[in-house]
């Protein structure tokens, strides 16, 4: 009886100590370092798309309103980048970006009602842009993993964009030409995963930007105008999704 009493007393004294143990789900992980200090990395993001528009190829989504659709759409983008890590998980980023867009609308008929219709022929839009970006990026391992992680990147971007919307009249071009200078602060979150010790893939998306833009416009090489704008946006920009790959040297 005495031994039983001693065992019960010992169990009661042990329970408070066990209740005070820290509860954790393990999100802090064991590995705090995702990419170590002193590493350097280089990467490349690229994209290319080409579409042909025409009812003979099955593009009839808006057939009730758009008829006789003929044209094409092309995009090209490339962005080499460089990273240096002065601290664990923190890198200095430099990137050059080039993109090009071309849209040719050879023919389209807009049927807005039984009595109202518009025929559009020979419309063309061209745009190309150059940009430099510099900033910082911070990596966080996902649940202590050294394979999966997420990052937040903040950069200062400066760029130049040329665009023109024109139509052909015999051998003459008639249209509007734009030149834009842009300066922007951007915040882009993303995720990355390593497929090799030194090689990873990443996906990032535009989230927040503060942009100043100066535009100069010329119509038919005769009339000039200019304007500037300053604005910010806080939203997930699906058009700014960027896919890339990086190679690192520890």
């Amino acid at each position: 009886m005495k031994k039983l009493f001693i065992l019960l007393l010992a169990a009661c004294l042990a329970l408070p100590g066990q209740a005070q143990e820290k509860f954790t789900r393990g999100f802090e992980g064991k590995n705090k370092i995702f990419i170590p200090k002193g590493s350097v990395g280089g990467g490349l993001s690229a994209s290319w798309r080409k579409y042909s528009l025409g009812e003979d190829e099955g593009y009839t989504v808006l057939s009730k309103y758009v008829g006789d659709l003929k044209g094409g759409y092309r995009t090209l983008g490339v962005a080499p980048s460089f990273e240096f890590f002065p601290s664990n998980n923190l890198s200095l980023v430099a990137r050059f970006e080039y993109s090009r867009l071309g849209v040719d609308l050879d023919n389209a008929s807009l049927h807005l009602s039984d009595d109202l219709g518009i025929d559009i022929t020979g419309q063309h839009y061209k745009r190309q842009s150059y940009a430099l970006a510099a900033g910082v990026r911070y990596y966080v391992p996902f649940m202590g993993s050294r394979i999966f992680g997420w990052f937040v990147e903040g950069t200062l971007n400066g760029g130049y964009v040329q665009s023109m919307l024109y139509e052909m009249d015999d051998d003459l071009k008639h249209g509007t030409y734009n030149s834009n200078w842009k300066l922007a602060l951007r915040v882009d979150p993303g995720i990355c995963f390593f497929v090799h010790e030194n090689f990873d893939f990443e996906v990032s998306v535009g989230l927040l930007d503060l942009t100043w833009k100066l535009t100069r416009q010329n119509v038919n090489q005769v009339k000039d105008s200019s304007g500037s704008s300053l604005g910010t946006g806080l939203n997930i920009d699906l058009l700014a999704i960027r896919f890339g790959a990086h190679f690192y040297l520890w």
Side-chain angles (χ1 to χ4, degrees):
M1 186 69 180
K2 184 177 180 181
K3 291 182 179 180
L4 180 60
F5 176 76
I6 294 174
L7 291 175
L8 292 174
L9 180 61
C12 291
L13 293 175
L15 286 175
Q18 293 179 354
Q20 292 177 0
E21 290 182 2
K22 181 181 179 181
F23 173 77
T24 175
R25 298 187 186 276
F27 283 99
E28 73 279 2
K30 296 181 179 180
N31 299 317
K32 300 295 185 181
I33 300 177
F34 191 65
I35 300 179
K37 176 182 177 180
S39 302
V40 294
L44 179 67
S45 301
S47 63
W48 179 78
R49 293 189 180 101
K50 182 178 180 180
Y51 299 98
S52 295
L53 304 177
E55 290 186 344
D56 56 335
E57 298 187 18
Y59 290 87
T60 58
V61 178
L62 298 177
S63 59
K64 181 178 179 181
Y65 303 100
V66 181
D68 301 325
L69 181 61
K70 300 288 182 181
Y73 174 88
R74 302 171 305 280
T75 64
L76 172 66
V78 61
S81 63
F82 174 79
E83 283 186 86
F84 172 71
F85 289 78
S87 181
N88 292 332
N89 300 338
L90 179 67
S91 70
L92 303 178
V93 181
R95 182 184 302 110
F96 171 75
E97 300 178 359
Y98 171 79
S99 65
R100 188 167 186 166
L101 168 66
V103 180
D104 297 307
L105 188 59
D106 299 324
N107 188 76
S109 299
L110 304 180
H111 305 291
L112 304 180
S113 66
D114 295 336
D115 300 324
L116 180 60
I118 302 175
D119 291 328
I120 301 174
T121 59
Q123 298 292 319
H124 306 274
Y125 178 75
K126 311 292 182 183
R127 186 189 70 192
Q128 61 180 354
S129 64
Y130 310 84
L132 288 173
V136 296
R137 177 185 286 195
Y138 187 73
Y139 292 84
V140 178
F142 179 69
M143 297 182 66
S145 171
R146 287 184 174 172
I147 297 177
F148 295 93
W150 61 276
F151 61 84
V152 177
E153 178 181 287
T155 55
L156 175 64
N157 299 260
Y160 175 67
V161 182
Q162 291 178 317
S163 65
M164 55 182 176
L165 176 63
Y166 66 93
E167 60 182 353
M168 298 298 299
D169 183 7
D170 293 331
D171 294 331
L172 299 177
K173 288 183 179 180
H174 299 277
T176 302
Y177 302 81
N178 290 320
S179 296
N180 299 314
W181 288 265
K182 297 199 303 183
L183 190 64
L185 289 171
R186 289 184 51 178
V187 176
D188 301 327
I191 58 175
C192 62
F193 61 95
F194 279 84
V195 295
H196 186 268
E197 290 290 340
N198 303 82
F199 188 78
D200 80 341
F201 290 102
E202 69 174 38
V203 180
S204 62
V205 60
L207 177 65
L208 174 65
D209 68 88
L210 175 63
T211 303
W212 172 83
K213 181 169 67 174
L214 174 64
T215 302
R216 297 187 184 278
Q217 188 177 88
N218 179 277
V219 179
N220 294 330
Q221 300 295 329
V222 176
K223 184 177 180 181
D224 293 314
S225 60
S226 63
S228 62
S229 63
L230 176 65
T232 184
L234 177 59
N235 61 326
I236 297 178
D237 186 0
L238 297 180
L239 297 179
I241 292 179
R242 184 168 60 237
F243 299 89
H246 286 79
F247 183 81
Y248 295 94
L249 296 176
W250 311 128

